[in-house]
Amino acid sequence: ELPPEYWYIQKLMKFLKTGNQTATVVALCCLKDHDLTVKVNQHAIQDMGGLEVLINLLETQDIKEIKLGVLSILSELSQSESLRRAIVDLGGVPQLVKNLVNPAVDVQILIGETIHNLARLKKAKKEIRHFGGLPLLVDLMDVPEKLLQTPKSEMNPCDLNKVKVAEAAAKGLWSASAKSKKNMIVMMKSGCVPLLAKLIGSVHIDVIIAAMGTLSQCVVEPGFQLAVQTEGMVKNIIKHLINEDDILLKTHCCETLYNCGEDEVTRTMVREAGGLDILIKVINDANNKQNKPLMAAATGAIWKTAKSPENVERFNSLRAVEILIKLLEDVDEDEPVLANVVGALCELVKTQKNRELVRRFGGIPNIINLLNYTYRPLLENLTTVLKECAEDTDSMAVIEDYDGVRLIWSLLKNSSKKVQANAAWCLVPCIQNAQDSGEMVRSFVGGLELMVKLLESEDMEVLSSVCAAIAEIAKDIENLAVISDHGVVPRLVDLVRTENEMLRQHLAAAIGRCCAWGINCKLFGRLGAITPLVNFIAEGNSDVQRTTAMALHALSENQFNCITMHESGVVNFLLKAVGSKDHVLQEAAAGCLANIRKLALEAE
């Protein structure tokens, strides 16, 4: 049975439909007395077509009481996901935008709060932009600096309402900007950035939260990232992190630092403002451990700011490595948090000192255990951090003890190209520094065949990393024989027409290594690999020239290849290379010239 409130609300909706102005105001007041967050009451309004009536009432001219009543009801109803969609479908957004020009501040406040609820829907975001609501909301954020620096207790009601309007407008933009690049661009063109900077410097916590919420959504755009730096927002963001206890505000501050952390100047500003210390304090606070959004944002900010060597030094003094490894021990930790923790370790372990710390604090077994997860951002970072750890011989021994290489190799089957590429890059130092790398690689059933098959990928990063791994695998003659049987030579030759510098570098290295088995050297020449390689050494950078010279040296062991090289005009480039300061390039070029010269003398 339906409760009495249901029928009472339906009677009120009849008055709204048929009553005069006075009856409408009274009905709205009575309706407001009910708890509109209760589902039954919401159904009573919706079943009588009440939403359409309420939206139509927004078109009334110069009747402030009716508009205020309607907006106060819509602001509550729009908190419901189903009613939110119904309001948007019935044309509520254009009416709200049209009323933003109403000079009544209490009307503007309620519209801002209602838009904040509605704009969580993609359709509402589009309509707000289409009907010109974004510039109007931006204009409403413009309040005198004096009011933003005056405590609310010292304000008169008029000034207090102006601050509330700015807060409501910021909240509306907060929702409207979420995951909508088009809206962000319109907001920026409307002059949103300096106003947000002004609001963030306010003394009013509610205003700061709304402004920081908007900023945290917008800083995915490069223009907003630059503005955080140029408008001097970093100091205020760090100040709020240090002084304020509001968890939501701290989360928005950390999210903003995370998105802006790619810029070197911003990273320096964060360090100089004391931001690194407070970020470590946030993740080390036991009270924050259960707040996953805050932990994800804070660890993400640490990850991005650790890209600067000066910041790494500061993090080292704060014992960041030890604190981050402790977070990896929590088996119930959120995957985004783990991904950011491992990302931060990726930057920190680029120094030998921190690699030793990760090993000493038992971080490597925890990192290897996480390889069983399926969360892609986490897997991308895990392979990167293990790649850095594998550069250290002692750490590599631990990776072997915990069967880490097998798990890394299995990631070559992952559907993500980025995970595949990172896994292949990770295998390079693993194969280099393993105790018996040849036997270890052969022990992976189907592993070499999988590696060769990845040469058919269309992703340049995957191809480059796989070529680098093959260059290491081919150092073992038995493994070279296996990959030769799997058709590595024709697959490598298929790639020699590439224009990608990184792929050229590692492709040439792989070709050079693969020449050591059977007829591979002759086969490379017969399949047409020589002439493109000559172009590599003529056009490439120093790294490409070095590996290409080594490949040509290996290929020049075959007489027919020497003839092709000579006809391709390689001699002049090799003569220049002999005069290089790079000793490896010198030696390879000289060896290739010697083989060509030897053939010429024999022919004479």
Side-chain angles (χ1 to χ4, degrees):
E1 291 184 8
L2 293 170
E5 288 84 356
Y6 179 88
W7 305 110
Y8 184 67
I9 288 173
Q10 288 216 334
K11 285 182 181 178
L12 291 176
M13 297 315 300
K14 288 178 183 177
F15 280 115
L16 282 180
K17 285 182 177 180
T18 59
N20 57 22
Q21 181 179 328
T22 304
T24 301
V25 173
V26 171
L28 287 170
C29 292
C30 293
L31 194 57
K32 188 72 180 68
D33 289 337
H34 287 79
D35 185 357
L36 299 180
T37 59
V38 176
K39 290 283 185 184
V40 175
N41 295 348
Q42 292 174 358
H43 285 307
I45 294 171
Q46 201 169 8
D47 293 347
M48 282 292 289
L51 290 178
E52 194 170 359
V53 174
L54 290 169
I55 291 167
N56 287 339
L57 286 172
L58 288 175
E59 296 184 41
T60 54
Q61 299 296 321
D62 304 323
I63 307 174
K64 181 182 172 184
E65 291 77 10
I66 291 179
K67 286 189 177 181
L68 278 175
V70 170
L71 287 168
S72 63
I73 292 167
L74 287 177
S75 65
E76 284 195 50
L77 294 177
S78 58
Q79 294 175 29
S80 161
E81 189 174 344
S82 57
L83 293 186
R84 195 182 300 154
R85 193 169 297 280
I87 292 168
V88 173
D89 290 340
L90 289 168
V93 173
Q95 290 301 326
L96 290 170
V97 171
K98 193 186 296 182
N99 279 281
L100 273 174
V101 296
N102 192 309
V105 289
D106 35 11
V107 169
Q108 293 171 344
I109 292 167
L110 288 169
I111 291 174
E113 290 176 352
T114 308
I115 287 177
H116 174 60
N117 294 329
L118 297 180
R120 295 171 190 177
L121 299 175
K122 188 176 180 181
K123 183 180 178 182
K125 295 182 205 291
K126 184 178 178 181
E127 289 187 350
I128 292 167
R129 181 179 70 252
H130 179 73
F131 290 101
L134 296 174
L136 294 174
L137 287 169
V138 170
D139 287 343
L140 293 178
M141 289 199 301
D142 191 6
V143 292
E145 180 75 28
K146 183 182 176 182
L147 297 184
L148 294 174
Q149 302 305 324
T150 304
K152 289 183 179 179
S153 58
E154 299 175 14
M155 286 186 187
N156 60 50
C158 180
D159 289 342
L160 188 59
N161 278 336
K162 288 179 182 178
V163 172
K164 286 183 178 179
V165 168
E167 178 194 338
K171 286 173 72 174
L173 291 172
W174 179 359
S175 295
S177 61
K179 298 179 182 178
S180 175
K181 289 192 175 184
K182 290 181 180 178
N183 284 6
M184 293 176 198
I185 292 168
V186 173
M187 287 163 58
M188 178 172 279
K189 289 179 178 177
S190 302
C192 169
V193 173
L195 296 177
L196 282 176
K198 194 162 70 169
L199 294 183
I200 288 167
S202 168
V203 298
H204 309 299
I205 186 68
D206 295 335
V207 174
I208 296 167
I209 291 172
M212 278 305 308
T214 305
L215 185 64
S216 66
Q217 297 292 340
C218 293
V219 285
V220 295
E221 279 293 298
F224 276 93
Q225 292 171 11
L226 181 63
V228 167
Q229 179 192 124
T230 55
E231 294 286 339
M233 296 190 213
V234 173
K235 284 186 179 180
N236 280 326
I237 291 171
I238 302 301
K239 184 180 77 174
H240 299 322
L241 260 178
I242 295 170
N243 297 331
E244 299 295 347
D245 294 326
D246 189 278
I247 296 297
L248 184 60
L249 177 57
K250 283 181 180 287
T251 304
H252 293 322
C253 290
C254 291
E255 285 172 349
T256 303
L257 294 178
Y258 168 65
N259 285 305
C260 295
E262 293 289 349
D263 184 82
E264 187 176 353
V265 176
T266 304
R267 294 198 295 267
T268 302
M269 293 171 75
V270 172
R271 182 183 73 253
E272 291 173 349
L276 305 183
D277 300 54
I278 189 62
L279 287 172
I280 293 295
K281 187 178 178 182
V282 167
I283 67 166
N284 201 30
D285 187 342
N287 296 325
N288 295 332
K289 293 291 170 65
Q290 297 306 313
N291 192 305
K292 302 308 180 185
L294 174 59
M295 289 296 289
T299 50
I302 291 170
W303 171 15
K304 297 302 180 181
T305 51
K307 290 178 181 288
S308 294
E310 298 85 0
N311 289 1
V312 171
E313 291 179 14
R314 182 59 190 158
F315 279 132
N316 289 344
S317 66
L318 296 167
R319 301 172 65 191
V321 171
E322 183 181 353
I323 293 166
L324 289 167
I325 288 173
K326 282 182 181 177
L327 291 177
L328 293 180
E329 295 172 0
D330 186 356
V331 292
D332 297 323
E333 191 57 270
D334 204 37
E335 287 181 337
V337 176
L338 291 172
N340 289 343
V341 169
V342 177
L345 287 172
C346 290
E347 301 301 329
L348 296 172
V349 297
K350 288 179 180 177
T351 64
Q352 179 60 26
K353 177 186 174 183
N354 286 339
R355 289 178 198 142
E356 292 171 0
L357 285 175
V358 170
R359 186 180 72 251
R360 193 191 314 159
F361 290 122
I364 293 176
N366 291 327
I367 292 169
I368 291 171
N369 287 337
L370 293 174
L371 288 170
N372 294 303
Y373 282 57
T374 57
Y375 185 58
R376 287 181 184 176
L378 174 59
L379 294 176
E380 290 170 12
N381 289 340
L382 286 169
T383 44
T384 304
V385 77
L386 286 172
K387 171 181 175 288
E388 295 295 339
C389 289
E391 300 286 353
D392 174 56
T393 310
D394 294 333
S395 298
M396 183 60 220
V398 179
I399 293 172
E400 281 192 85
D401 290 343
Y402 285 87
D403 204 18
V405 181
R406 181 183 61 81
L407 290 170
I408 295 165
W409 207 294
S410 69
L411 292 178
L412 294 174
K413 300 176 184 176
N414 196 282
S415 58
S416 165
K417 301 299 181 187
K418 183 69 175 173
V419 173
Q420 287 179 353
N422 285 5
W425 285 125
C426 183
L427 288 172
V428 175
C430 288
I431 298 168
Q432 278 177 346
N433 298 320
Q435 289 183 347
D436 185 1
S437 62
E439 181 58 39
M440 178 189 71
V441 170
R442 283 191 295 280
S443 69
F444 303 136
V445 178
L448 292 173
E449 183 181 1
L450 173 61
M451 186 69 75
V452 173
K453 194 171 182 182
L454 281 174
L455 289 172
E456 297 174 359
S457 174
E458 295 180 358
D459 186 88
M460 289 297 162
E461 183 81 15
V462 172
L463 291 172
S464 302
S465 57
V466 169
C467 284
I470 286 173
E472 288 301 321
I473 291 168
K475 288 180 179 179
D476 181 272
I477 199 68
E478 291 184 43
N479 290 337
L480 175 54
V482 175
I483 61 175
S484 297
D485 290 342
H486 286 307
V488 73
V489 173
R491 284 185 169 90
L492 289 174
V493 173
D494 287 341
L495 302 175
V496 293
R497 304 290 174 186
T498 182
E499 299 291 329
N500 185 282
E501 292 277 274
M502 182 170 62
L503 177 54
R504 283 183 168 190
Q505 176 189 342
H506 297 292
L507 173 60
I511 290 173
R513 296 288 184 192
C514 289
C515 287
W517 175 256
I519 62 167
N520 284 359
C521 186
K522 181 180 178 181
L523 192 56
F524 276 121
R526 200 170 72 196
L527 293 175
I530 307 295
T531 304
L533 283 174
V534 174
N535 292 334
F536 283 17
I537 203 168
E539 301 168 0
N541 58 36
S542 57
D543 292 328
V544 174
Q545 289 177 341
R546 185 189 308 114
T547 57
T548 304
M550 293 166 68
L552 291 172
H553 182 204
L555 290 165
S556 66
E557 298 295 334
N558 179 272
Q559 294 181 348
F560 294 103
N561 290 348
C562 286
I563 295 169
T564 307
M565 287 181 202
H566 191 275
E567 290 174 350
S568 300
V570 76
V571 174
N572 288 334
F573 298 114
L574 291 174
L575 287 171
K576 288 180 183 177
V578 169
S580 169
K581 294 179 181 180
D582 185 330
H583 297 304
V584 177
L585 174 57
Q586 269 187 340
E587 189 176 340
C592 187
L593 283 170
N595 287 336
I596 295 172
R597 178 63 178 155
K598 181 181 176 183
L599 176 63
L601 290 172
E602 288 175 1
E604 289 178 5

